[in-house]
Amino acid sequence: MTMSGAAWADGLVDNVNGMTLDKDGKVVRFGAMLVTAEGNVSKLLSGKDKRPDKLDWRVDFKGKTLLPGMIDAHGHVMELGFRALELDLSDTKTLAEAQAKIAAYARANPDRAWIIGGGWNQEVWGLGRFPTAADLDAAVGDRPVWLARADGHASWGNSAALKAAGVTAKSVAPAGGRIEKGAGGQPAGVFVDAAQELVARVVPRPLGKDRNAAFLKAQAILLSYGVTATADMGTSIDDWLTYRRIGDNGGLRLRIMSYGMGVDTTVQIGAVGPSPWLYGDRLKLVGVKLYADGALGSRGAWLKAPYADAPGQSGAGFMSDTVLRNWMSRAAMDGYQVAIHAIGDRANAEALDAIDEMAQTYKGDRRWRIEHAQIVDPADLPRFGRYGTIASMQPVHQTSDRTMAEARLGPQRLVGAYAWASMLKNGAKLAFGSDYPVEKPDPWAGWAAAFTRQDADGQPFGGWHPEQAVTREQAWWAYTGGAAYAGFAEDRIGRLAPGLKADFVVVDRDPLLASPTDLRATKVQETWIGGQKVWERK
């Protein structure tokens, strides 16, 4: 055989409308792909190139479109699985609809000592306030109910849950938390950010087998969307043990870039620094997740000026400047990458200040990450480029949060909101994800939102602050090569090129030609990881 490299090629993915981006973000098209026994790409072939004669296997895709697997730069793997297996309120449009769904779930699950779940959003319900324990008592009064808000930054309990936790009018919210109060200073039923722990500490913990089931459910959901790798933001010890159990038993298909929940947890998992890639490049502890503030929806995001719709509040920082720097230094000392959750403009400024200072001591390729970077003071935008800070952002947050953000901030503070194009112009690296299960882990909807600034209904006409849209190719890169780079994985995944992993998806349309509406409707037909089919649409 005369073809160089073909003699050791074990498989051929043939007859595809193949497309990927090169390392410069330019589109590369191909008609076939040779895959090694180790699951790497050995060569991309055009339609005219001669195919090797001797192959261990060959798949003919009959002209279907093939792309690199999508990478979600910010998600919560176990929460996605648990949400799918527990009570999910993410599709409810009103409080009454949520109450009916909660009551029905409780009736259908009489053996559950606690009713657990989440996904509620008072903004979607048009409630104009947080729901109360009394609202929840009307649905279930005979046992505790504890439900996380869609963004995970607040939780809602009924009277039985508050009683089980011993929460009373005398209870004090911990730093970085808030107890919503009702008449006479009584807890109203919603606990924001750190205050959630007042009730969460008495909620029964899931068993190992429950965790396994939740992981397998999450993995199946992600693969069905064409997500072949994900950053897991805020991995707990129990989460890590679950991934290891599944990996030990040969069930890990998805690639997970893990960021431990805080420094203590991360050091407990990694001991002396990031782990090696495990289970055939399926799992790696990369870094640490820190929180600078809460979320916009629960008014926990830390702002430089008060909320437009709550003049007495401006959110809260989760830690002092000194504490944040101490934690970052502790992580960086052992080589862990640092990812800081920052949503409000004050929190983003604090994170950038800390990076400015840390970068003087911790040189080299650190890839500091700011997660969400939702509301940034325009004066702070250029600082993202100073050390090539990664803006790890979620396009679907912009389309979901648009009207809420307008209400929370007022028009004058929206210039640096969800500012993807400005991030790139200022030299930041962009990585896109979904923050699932806050949003669906749907990269196709996120991709469409990124270059249109419009939601699934095409609203608003012309796009919301369209000057912040990125190009179709820039958005695609942020969901592939950019997301891989953000997790120090660009030497393995993010593109289809010789030497990289053969992680790819086969879809039912050409995403570079599809209208935004059609792109959102993309259906993944098959998902392959490391040259092996791991999911197929039935």
Side-chain angles (χ1 to χ4, degrees):
M1 190 175 293
T2 54
M3 276 188 68
S4 64
W8 48 272
D10 288 299
L12 178 69
V13 175
D14 205 0
N15 199 4
V16 295
N17 172 31
M19 58 192 75
T20 183
L21 293 168
D22 66 15
K23 61 182 187 311
D24 299 317
K26 300 281 189 300
V27 177
V28 174
R29 294 185 177 271
F30 55 94
M33 182 168 67
L34 287 167
V35 180
T36 70
E38 295 74 38
N40 295 336
V41 177
S42 69
K43 194 171 186 184
L44 300 180
L45 304 172
S46 73
K48 296 173 186 168
D49 287 335
K50 184 181 182 318
R51 306 309 194 241
D53 301 321
K54 293 178 181 172
L55 290 164
D56 290 340
W57 56 271
R58 175 181 176 269
V59 182
D60 183 347
F61 278 115
K62 300 180 168 51
K64 287 182 179 167
T65 297
L66 182 150
L67 315 163
M70 300 298 259
I71 303 175
D72 196 306
H74 185 114
H76 308 279
V77 176
M78 295 302 294
E79 283 90 333
L80 178 67
F82 279 121
R83 184 67 50 81
L85 297 175
E86 295 170 345
L87 173 57
D88 183 3
L89 298 176
S90 59
D91 59 351
T92 57
K93 300 289 186 285
T94 64
L95 173 61
E97 193 183 325
Q99 287 169 316
K101 190 167 186 180
I102 295 162
Y105 183 88
R107 283 194 301 273
N109 293 278
D111 300 335
R112 297 201 176 204
W114 282 64
I115 301 298
I116 307 294
W120 59 271
N121 187 339
Q122 81 282 5
E123 298 292 327
V124 171
W125 294 344
L127 203 55
R129 61 173 175 85
F130 274 130
T132 64
D135 292 329
L136 207 39
D137 294 343
V140 180
D142 65 337
R143 57 196 141 141
V145 182
W146 185 240
L147 304 168
R149 191 179 185 276
D151 58 15
H153 286 272
S155 290
W156 174 30
N158 66 353
S159 297
L162 272 58
K163 186 177 178 186
V167 174
T168 67
K170 293 178 181 169
S171 298
V172 178
R178 189 173 80 245
I179 302 171
E180 289 292 313
K181 297 289 180 76
Q186 290 294 328
V190 165
F191 299 76
V192 178
D193 289 317
Q196 295 174 96
E197 188 55 31
L198 294 173
V199 180
R201 62 188 173 78
V202 300
V203 177
R205 294 169 70 81
L207 301 171
K209 63 180 182 179
D210 301 327
R211 293 183 185 280
N212 287 2
F215 172 78
L216 293 171
K217 182 70 176 175
Q219 177 170 259
I221 292 168
L222 291 165
L223 296 177
S224 76
Y225 279 109
V227 174
T228 55
T230 184
D232 185 48
M233 279 293 162
T235 307
S236 69
I237 298 284
D238 284 326
D239 296 344
W240 181 261
L241 289 174
T242 303
Y243 306 152
R244 294 298 306 254
R245 271 198 306 276
I246 300 293
D248 289 345
N249 291 321
L252 203 53
R253 301 283 176 266
L254 187 70
R255 300 192 197 279
I256 301 173
M257 298 167 278
S258 165
Y259 292 77
M261 175 62 86
V263 173
D264 289 343
T265 298
T266 305
V267 170
Q268 215 174 329
I269 294 169
V272 294
S275 76
W277 279 100
L278 306 167
Y279 310 113
D281 295 342
R282 292 305 204 281
L283 176 65
K284 179 180 173 68
L285 177 69
V286 180
V288 60
K289 166 89 177 291
L290 301 173
Y291 281 90
D293 68 344
L296 210 54
S298 49
R299 295 192 191 85
W302 196 19
L303 302 179
K304 291 184 175 184
Y307 281 88
D309 59 355
Q313 297 180 33
S314 53
F318 280 12
M319 53 184 99
S320 70
D321 292 349
T322 305
V323 170
L324 176 60
R325 284 163 172 74
N326 285 345
W327 284 128
M328 289 173 69
S329 186
R330 176 71 188 83
M333 211 183 297
D334 281 346
Y336 295 109
Q337 187 186 15
V338 176
I340 307 168
H341 164 115
I343 288 182
D345 52 9
R346 178 85 186 271
N348 275 283
E350 183 191 43
L352 289 163
D353 287 346
I355 289 168
D356 282 349
E357 195 170 313
M358 290 291 116
Q360 307 311 313
T361 306
Y362 299 101
K363 308 285 190 186
D365 189 6
R366 293 288 172 170
R367 301 190 197 179
W368 311 99
R369 294 179 59 141
I370 295 184
E371 304 303 309
H372 310 304
Q374 273 176 227
I375 315 300
V376 180
D377 184 331
D380 288 327
L381 282 168
R383 300 171 65 199
F384 271 84
R386 197 172 295 164
Y387 301 105
T389 296
I390 293 160
S392 169
M393 303 177 80
Q394 298 76 39
V396 280
H397 282 343
Q398 181 265 301
T399 49
S400 301
D401 295 356
R402 171 172 60 90
T403 52
M404 182 264 289
E406 288 171 346
R408 294 280 187 275
L409 299 166
Q412 72 283 0
R413 279 193 282 175
L414 297 174
V415 178
Y418 314 90
W420 315 316
S422 290
M423 289 296 181
L424 288 179
K425 285 190 190 101
N426 282 296
K429 304 285 189 183
L430 211 50
F432 279 162
S434 64
D435 198 13
Y436 64 81
V438 177
E439 308 276 359
K440 287 194 176 80
D442 181 352
W444 315 100
W447 188 354
F451 66 85
T452 63
R453 307 278 288 190
Q454 292 175 315
D455 62 19
D457 300 322
Q459 294 299 317
F461 180 76
W464 190 76
H465 293 269
E467 70 281 359
Q468 291 296 352
V470 292
T471 68
R472 192 183 292 241
E473 289 77 14
Q474 285 169 336
W476 186 18
W477 177 259
Y479 272 113
T480 51
Y485 175 86
F488 282 95
E490 76 277 10
D491 60 338
R492 285 170 169 76
I493 55 175
R495 300 180 290 125
L496 293 172
L500 299 187
K501 297 293 175 187
D503 295 359
F504 62 87
V505 292
V506 178
V507 295
D508 64 348
R509 66 202 65 198
D510 184 330
L512 298 184
L513 300 178
S515 70
T517 302
D518 284 346
L519 178 57
R520 285 176 174 274
T522 298
K523 290 281 181 288
V524 175
Q525 310 279 303
E526 296 184 16
T527 303
W528 290 59
I529 296 180
Q532 294 185 325
K533 182 161 62 175
V534 294
W535 187 86
E536 185 173 11
R537 185 168 296 281
K538 296 287 188 268

